[in-house]
Amino acid sequence: MRMYPAWLADPAATYTADPLADRQARDWAMRDYRMWLLRDGPARRSRVFVNSALTALDDFGTRRGMGKADVAREDLPKNAPRALAERARIRRLRAWRRICPLGAGVSR
């Protein structure tokens, strides 16, 4: 959420209306911000990061009384993450139990 106001303050951003007060200007600014995060910014962000940022901005807009923005989210992969092999899972569980003293009582 901190990056968005800094991005809006960039002198290259020229909006005819205030994106923090006008719904249409906000929607266009959020679309531009989404593209900046995905491909134009100094560090390209993942689709999950972009969707999370847009959700945070929707919450901000809702709290300001403007409602959610009309901005599409990025499609996420449909496949499930690869599961750990049994030995790797046990190794990770043992390491977690060493780090977290409360984890010692957790069963499989």
Side-chain angles (χ1 to χ4, degrees):
M1 182 61 202
R2 289 182 299 194
M3 290 188 330
Y4 183 67
W7 178 81
L8 282 176
D10 183 13
T14 55
Y15 293 101
T16 57
D18 182 9
L20 298 177
D22 182 66
R23 288 180 188 215
Q24 187 176 11
R26 182 223 26 216
D27 290 353
W28 282 107
M30 282 180 62
R31 287 183 192 106
D32 291 345
Y33 183 61
R34 184 185 85 208
M35 296 315 305
W36 182 80
L37 286 173
L38 283 171
R39 66 176 184 218
D40 299 333
R44 291 184 178 150
R45 306 297 179 163
S46 72
R47 291 181 274 174
V48 173
F49 181 91
V50 171
N51 286 349
S52 297
L54 294 177
T55 300
L57 291 172
D58 273 345
D59 181 61
F60 178 71
T62 301
R63 291 174 191 267
R64 289 185 51 90
M66 294 174 61
K68 292 183 177 184
D70 184 24
V71 178
R73 300 300 195 259
E74 293 300 310
D75 291 331
L76 298 177
K78 302 291 182 208
N79 56 349
R82 190 173 55 109
L84 290 174
E86 181 68 16
R87 292 181 80 185
R89 190 176 65 81
I90 291 171
R91 212 172 28 250
R92 181 172 281 182
L93 180 61
R94 286 182 182 153
W96 182 71
R97 285 182 178 171
R98 278 193 303 264
I99 294 169
C100 180
L102 298 176
V106 177
S107 63
R108 292 179 165 194

